[in-house]
Amino acid sequence: MSLKTGLEKLQGIGNTQANSLFDADMERLNDMQFGLLTMFCPGTLATGKFDAFKFPVDVYLEQVQFFAKTAPVGSSVDIKFWVGGVLDAEAFSLPDGSAQAFVNSTSNTNNGILVTAGLLIEPDIVQVGSGTAGADATIRLRYRKRVI
């Protein structure tokens, strides 16, 4: 066994301090650039679909970031995503009384919700606050390009 110098090269991946190919792959994934897609929901929040978009490449939706000028009261605001016409089971929630939340996806072994290139994605508010619905929301989706 040799001592690692921190500048080893593993199968053309480049300089790394990884101890194995798996670790080098994880470094490569973690170093990839993330993207943020921002959507606005002005006014009082209501249930239903509110936008639609497509990605040109395969991505994982990893996190939903909520910001609201008026927090929901009585219950959370929950959003799910229609991906290619199929409603994904995972809900992302802005908790009751909170004006912001960062919610990580738990789908696909913690990689996020896999979205294949060209599929229509439609965010859907499936629940709003029961006392105060919540209002003037900014919703950002954090995603990462899928690496095969």
Side-chain angles (χ1 to χ4, degrees):
M1 184 166 172
S2 64
L3 181 65
K4 299 281 183 199
T5 66
L7 296 175
E8 288 75 19
K9 291 190 176 191
L10 295 174
Q11 290 190 354
I13 294 174
N15 291 339
T16 180
Q17 294 185 18
N19 292 315
S20 68
L21 288 174
F22 174 79
D23 290 343
D25 283 343
M26 293 310 296
E27 276 185 19
R28 181 177 59 130
L29 285 174
N30 290 332
D31 289 342
M32 291 179 61
Q33 185 176 14
F34 290 92
L36 288 172
L37 178 90
T38 303
M39 298 169 285
F40 302 100
C41 295
T44 302
L45 298 177
T47 57
K49 296 177 186 176
F50 62 90
D51 208 341
F53 53 92
K54 296 179 183 182
F55 287 103
V57 296
D58 294 354
V59 299
Y60 288 106
L61 295 180
E62 294 188 323
Q63 184 181 69
V64 174
Q65 303 171 357
F66 290 99
F67 305 93
K69 287 185 181 175
T70 303
V73 176
S75 59
S76 62
V77 171
D78 296 341
I79 293 180
K80 292 186 176 187
F81 292 91
W82 291 85
V83 180
V86 177
L87 185 62
D88 191 85
E90 185 169 6
F92 296 86
S93 298
L94 176 61
D96 176 15
S98 296
Q100 70 178 30
F102 290 64
V103 186
N104 293 320
S105 174
T106 57
S107 294
N108 285 337
T109 318
N110 297 323
N111 285 325
I113 299 170
L114 176 61
V115 178
T116 306
L119 287 182
L120 186 65
I121 304 162
E122 299 170 286
D124 190 354
I125 298 176
V126 295
Q127 175 178 294
V128 296
S130 58
T132 300
D136 299 318
T138 299
I139 299 162
R140 292 192 309 200
L141 304 180
R142 181 178 170 185
Y143 61 90
R144 176 174 34 192
K145 182 180 175 187
R146 181 178 182 209
V147 177
I148 299 175

